[in-house]
Amino acid sequence: QLLWVLMLATIIGLLLQRLAARLGVVTGLHLAEVCHRQYQKVPRIILWLMVELAIIGSDMQEVIGSAIAINLLSVGKIPLWGGVLITIADTFVFLFLDKYGLRKLEAFFGFLITIMALTFGYEYITVKPNQEKLLQGLFIPYCQNCGTPQLEQAVGIVGAVIMPHNMYLHSALVKSRQVNRANKREVREANKYFFIESCIALFVSFIINIFVVTVFAEAFFEKTNADVSNVCANSSSPHSSLFQNNNNTLEVDIYKGGVVLGCYFGPAALYIWAIGILAAGQSSTMTGTYSGQFVMEGFLNLRWSRFARVLLTRSIAITPTLFVAIFQDVEHLTGMNDFLNVLMSLQLPFALIPVLTFTSLPSVMNDFANGLFWKIAGGLLILLICGINMYFVVAYVKALNHMALYIGAAVLSVVYLSFVAYLV
């Protein structure tokens, strides 16, 4: 029932990437640099902090995913906190690769995405989801008997697919290609090819996401803890103690998901799942590293070395994750992952509004400014996302049943909406 949300989020992500790429191609500046030129100092710094928050959130997800993958691959021998510490090494791997130029990094990124497609594709073929239900979920927008938990998942999907800092990254990466901006035909041609490139990249991403969502739906839906506990015990899984022998509905996350796949479809399914999660984590590290670099350079006109910049954000991301990994269990770690997806969605207006604003300004884009359709569609999209985010925050806070939290959420919501209104 959430597949149509996934498809819609991917289409919206594609349209936004198109605008971000057009901004970079036409102006020769990336989104953060245009923000630096167009906004006053205070809103510019607030906007920078919001984007940094999204990057740190993404970095925390990468740390969580990699730690879980390492724990699964080592059959639990490397604890979660150990996996979190190992992810520090990611920083040095990418800094080492960075010396060999952007094209080498793009090739490595392509290699990671290929691993993700193969590993999650293997799970998809092994589990054999119902194709009729899959198509129904993709093309018929519905969500029968949905409540706040399902809304949280839907908001999480939007935040996970349309990552706000990727808008800043995409507008910067197009600058690595040589385009003669004095020649309108050449600019138009570059815009066309960047759009085709985005279509291919997001189509692959969409297929990988479908693999993951449908594998979870087919393998885990309506199973009880007792069902899984019995199967895991019979398959001599080292993780069988993870599930209590009761009739409560099974709740899965990326950790339990790998374990259950291993119990039902053999150890190969578990290890291949973990390799896919690890590859996803590494690709997320790369996007976070590069978008962070461009965002800091653009907003603050400040040039740190990549080493110092990555060390800062990675330290901020690792500290809270490490505490949770040491003092809590894996379920709290994956619960944090869901919360971070929602945080991404809340940060979306801080990428959406600038990219729509600047691509609509003739003073910035000249003859390539957005037409009336893009302005209206973009405005409606911002309203929709802000409305969904606010509804979710209200529902989320109501469930906490605490007056102090109500007041705090109300104040933060007013500040949040005021800044969104200012940007609009």
Side-chain angles (χ1 to χ4, degrees):
Q1 290 184 57
L2 290 174
L3 282 176
W4 63 272
V5 178
L6 177 63
M7 184 159 80
L8 201 61
T10 306
I11 292 167
I12 293 167
L14 174 65
L15 298 176
L16 292 171
Q17 278 205 7
R18 175 181 179 266
L19 292 179
R22 279 168 71 88
L23 183 72
V25 171
V26 173
T27 63
L29 302 168
H30 57 73
L31 183 55
E33 288 174 327
V34 180
C35 287
H36 183 269
R37 293 186 177 199
Q38 298 286 337
Y39 289 128
Q40 299 292 324
K41 187 176 182 181
V42 173
R44 189 172 74 228
I45 289 172
I46 295 170
L47 197 58
W48 168 67
L49 289 171
M50 292 297 103
V51 180
E52 286 290 354
L53 195 62
I55 292 167
I56 290 164
S58 170
D59 218 21
M60 284 178 74
Q61 286 182 309
E62 181 275 311
V63 170
I64 291 166
S66 297
I68 287 169
I70 291 164
N71 182 268
L72 286 171
L73 288 169
S74 66
V75 201
K77 287 188 172 62
I78 297 175
L80 285 170
W81 60 265
V84 170
L85 291 175
I86 288 169
T87 59
I88 295 170
D90 294 351
T91 309
F92 301 103
V93 170
F94 294 121
L95 290 170
F96 172 74
L97 279 171
D98 187 46
K99 291 180 181 177
Y100 294 95
L102 195 60
R103 294 293 171 272
K104 300 286 190 302
L105 268 171
E106 285 178 345
F108 184 61
F109 197 62
F111 171 68
L112 289 174
I113 290 171
T114 304
I115 290 175
M116 287 159 66
L118 291 174
T119 50
F120 297 136
Y122 170 85
E123 306 292 352
Y124 181 83
I125 292 164
T126 305
V127 174
K128 299 185 182 70
N130 184 316
Q131 299 301 302
E132 187 185 333
K133 294 265 180 74
L134 188 153
L135 292 171
Q136 190 181 336
L138 275 177
F139 297 107
I140 303 173
Y142 73 109
C143 198
Q144 201 175 343
N145 303 321
C146 284
T148 304
Q150 288 74 27
L151 179 67
E152 184 181 342
Q153 286 183 317
V155 172
I157 285 173
V158 174
V161 173
I162 317 171
M163 287 197 164
H165 55 283
N166 279 358
M167 297 297 116
Y168 290 87
L169 177 65
H170 204 70
S171 65
L173 288 179
V174 297
K175 289 173 65 181
S176 66
R177 267 65 171 178
Q178 295 301 314
V179 179
N180 179 9
R181 289 178 179 84
N183 186 331
K184 284 184 185 176
R185 186 188 63 79
E186 203 170 313
V187 170
R188 202 168 280 113
E189 194 175 73
N191 282 331
K192 182 180 81 173
Y193 284 114
F194 281 124
F195 182 61
I196 292 168
E197 184 182 60
S198 291
C199 285
I200 295 166
L202 278 168
F203 178 72
V204 173
S205 155
F206 178 57
I207 295 298
I208 291 170
N209 284 331
I210 281 183
F211 286 164
V212 175
V213 174
T214 51
V215 162
F216 266 52
E218 188 68 44
F220 313 134
F221 185 59
E222 289 188 333
K223 284 191 170 59
T224 64
N225 286 332
D227 295 336
V228 177
S229 179
N230 292 333
V231 173
C232 286
N234 292 335
S235 65
S236 305
S237 167
H239 303 280
S240 54
S241 60
L242 197 61
F243 307 98
Q244 294 178 336
N245 198 352
N246 59 35
N247 288 323
N248 292 349
T249 304
L250 175 70
E251 290 186 12
V252 284
D253 44 48
I254 58 173
Y255 180 77
K256 282 185 178 176
V259 171
V260 179
L261 286 170
C263 293
Y264 276 82
F265 303 102
L270 185 150
Y271 294 121
I272 288 168
W273 173 259
I275 290 165
I277 295 293
L278 194 60
Q282 304 318 297
S283 64
S284 176
T285 298
M286 289 176 69
T287 56
T289 301
Y290 276 88
S291 51
Q293 184 72 14
F294 294 127
V295 160
M296 183 173 272
E297 285 177 5
F299 275 109
L300 305 183
N301 205 14
L302 185 68
R303 296 190 180 273
W304 279 20
S305 69
R306 277 207 178 90
F307 180 83
R309 168 60 262 131
V310 175
L311 211 58
L312 175 69
T313 55
R314 181 50 61 92
S315 303
I316 296 169
I318 275 181
T319 307
T321 316
L322 190 59
F323 275 111
V324 175
I326 292 169
F327 298 111
Q328 299 286 351
D329 53 20
V330 71
E331 286 174 34
H332 287 84
L333 212 55
T334 48
M336 192 194 284
N337 207 24
D338 295 336
F339 168 75
L340 290 168
N341 272 340
V342 174
L343 177 71
M344 291 290 176
S345 185
L346 286 168
Q347 301 301 320
L348 268 177
F350 307 122
L352 273 177
I353 298 170
V355 82
L356 282 163
T357 302
F358 300 138
T359 52
S360 299
L361 288 175
S363 58
V364 174
M365 298 291 286
N366 300 319
D367 295 343
F368 293 93
N370 293 333
L372 187 63
F373 169 78
W374 277 100
K375 289 174 186 173
I376 293 170
L380 290 172
L381 183 63
I382 291 165
L383 272 175
L384 177 68
I385 287 173
C386 287
I388 290 169
N389 287 344
M390 282 300 100
Y391 173 80
F392 172 73
V393 167
V394 168
Y396 188 80
V397 173
K398 266 186 182 175
L400 297 173
N401 288 323
H402 200 289
M403 183 54 72
L405 292 169
Y406 292 165
I407 296 165
V411 171
L412 286 173
S413 296
V414 169
V415 173
Y416 174 84
L417 289 172
S418 300
F419 187 58
V420 169
Y422 169 83
L423 292 176
V424 170

